[in-house]
Amino acid sequence: MDIVWQSPANPPEAHDYILRNGRRHVRPYYFEFISHVKNRWAGKTIVDLFAEEFKGRPREYYVNAVKCGRIQVDGQNVHISYVVQSSQKISHFLHRHEPPVMACKISVLHKESDVITVCKPASVPVHPCGQYRKNTVVGILQAEYGLTPLFPVHRLDRLVSGLLIFARNADKADMFRQQIEAGMLQKEYIAKVIGVFPEGEQIASANVHYNAREGRSSVEVGDCSSNSSSKGKVACTKFTRISTNGIYSVVLCRPVTGRTHQIRVHLQYLGHPIANDTLYISEHVALRSTEGKGADRAAVITAVHGLPSDDFFVEVQDVKDGDGFHIDPMCTNCPNLAPKGYDGLEEGLWLHCIRYTGPDWSYECPHPDWAVLV
């Protein structure tokens, strides 16, 4: 079989998806990942670099991939002992399996010539990132609605649902950007949290530091007058309780700033984490740098009886007639549709963006149909 290598220039198409058992899968495809050697990678052998930085595959896979030319440096085959240098181009040609997402429809709420609003389902990333490229809001809207180009005005965490706004041209995107920078836009969320949230407006003003390596934020609290350096960014969120049943509370969340995981970590800081947020419901979670998985998936491992990942995640041989993809002999995920460790446990957070308001406009999203609402 002649392999056709896809790149980011290849748009998603409707036939790329398989809907099964409430999950949206992507047919595995051949893809060229391109990266450039970071300073902290320089001086490592090509095999050590991949084995230490990309732990989703065993070391033996990377050895074989280098030997057969599926991993190249500056477009050339290299020896497994080759030492990389800063800024060199690395290409990884692999059989790409994207994680499944929930097979919920992306509803178009409002459509104009230069702006579109949609209701983003939980579990779907907004744009290509990490292991996701086609299984994203941008990819699905392009494949199923023919909507392109799209410029995200704001983003929602992958596990968060709700209102998402896209500009449809660069000028409109720039207008939104200027309004955001001027502090003219306001977002509102609702969250279901643990415990009886206090009455009245509660304000969390605590710096938030995002650890990109671990995919997790933390709150920094200290003496503002001290000379100690802070890695965190100034962050503020306002909360108001809507209802409570004595066990859980539904809370209106108004972020003043927009830090990564800000609402999630501020609710944890106040002692009322989102009720099903495994990443922040406990101070102690497995690190994704050691697990070789996404931060939320590593947290799930910690939450379920402390079982190690190899025992907890059971793979299903799920290839069926008509799925229409090639089984690659080198691939560590074949013959499954999903990559190893993604068995569909993540249903999404009880955190939903309900409203986005500007100086002369306002967009809203319907209330989520959570199974249990206080």
Side-chain angles (χ1 to χ4, degrees), residues 70-312:
R70 285 208 177 178
I71 292 178
Q72 298 178 354
V73 179
D74 290 332
Q76 302 295 321
N77 292 354
V78 296
H79 191 268
I80 58 173
S81 61
Y82 181 86
V83 176
V84 301
Q85 304 299 320
S86 181
S87 299
Q88 284 185 305
K89 174 187 171 183
I90 296 180
S91 295
H92 184 192
F93 300 89
L94 81 166
H95 197 229
R96 185 166 182 174
H97 292 239
E98 295 194 28
V101 299
M102 295 173 66
C104 302
K105 180 182 179 181
I106 300 178
S107 302
V108 176
L109 304 174
H110 186 82
K111 189 176 180 181
E112 299 176 8
S113 60
D114 55 0
V115 66
I116 182 171
T117 67
V118 304
C119 185
K120 170 185 144 13
S123 83
V124 187
V126 173
H127 49 70
C129 57
Q131 295 193 71
Y132 300 87
R133 188 173 78 91
K134 299 181 181 183
N135 246 352
T136 61
V137 176
V138 169
I140 295 168
L141 288 175
Q142 183 173 5
E144 297 187 352
Y145 292 86
L147 293 170
T148 185
L150 294 174
F151 302 83
V153 172
H154 63 110
R155 62 177 300 276
L156 298 176
D157 291 345
R158 183 175 62 83
L159 297 182
V160 176
S161 60
L163 180 68
L164 196 58
I165 304 174
F166 292 97
R168 303 189 66 184
N169 57 63
D171 289 341
K172 190 69 172 182
D174 188 60
M175 184 210 75
F176 280 121
R177 179 189 59 79
Q178 292 179 29
Q179 292 182 351
I180 292 173
E181 292 177 351
M184 301 169 66
L185 307 188
Q186 295 181 343
K187 285 188 289 185
E188 295 181 14
Y189 298 74
I190 56 171
K192 181 178 176 180
V193 305
I194 292 176
V196 178
F197 198 85
E199 292 183 322
E201 185 177 73
Q202 307 295 314
I203 300 177
S205 293
N207 289 7
V208 171
H209 171 57
Y210 179 66
N211 185 328
R213 183 173 176 81
E214 300 302 341
R216 191 170 190 265
S217 289
S218 59
V219 165
E220 294 182 349
V221 181
D223 184 0
C224 295
S225 63
S226 67
N227 293 324
S228 59
S229 60
S230 172
K231 295 181 180 180
K233 296 181 179 179
V234 173
C236 179
T237 314
K238 298 178 180 180
F239 301 98
T240 304
R241 190 179 82 190
I242 297 174
S243 62
T244 183
N245 64 1
I247 301 174
Y248 300 108
S249 300
V250 173
V251 178
L252 179 66
C253 316
R254 298 186 181 93
V256 179
T257 53
R259 311 306 180 197
T260 302
H261 296 184
Q262 176 177 313
I263 294 175
R264 298 166 70 179
V265 73
H266 271 175
L267 284 168
Q268 179 199 52
Y269 167 65
L270 294 177
H272 298 276
I274 294 172
N276 65 343
D277 191 350
T278 54
L279 187 58
Y280 291 104
I281 207 166
S282 170
E283 294 284 352
H284 307 287
V285 297
L287 299 179
R288 80 171 179 183
S289 60
T290 56
E291 288 291 339
K293 305 185 188 305
D296 289 288
R297 307 246 5 130
V300 169
I301 297 170
T302 306
V304 184
H305 308 303
L307 293 177
S309 56
D310 289 344
D311 294 334
F312 181 66

Side-chain angles (χ1 to χ4, degrees), residues 308-323:
S309 56
D310 289 344
D311 294 334
F312 181 66
F313 293 114
V314 179
E315 301 301 327
V316 178
Q317 301 298 313
D318 57 6
V319 171
K320 295 184 179 180
D321 291 340
D323 281 350

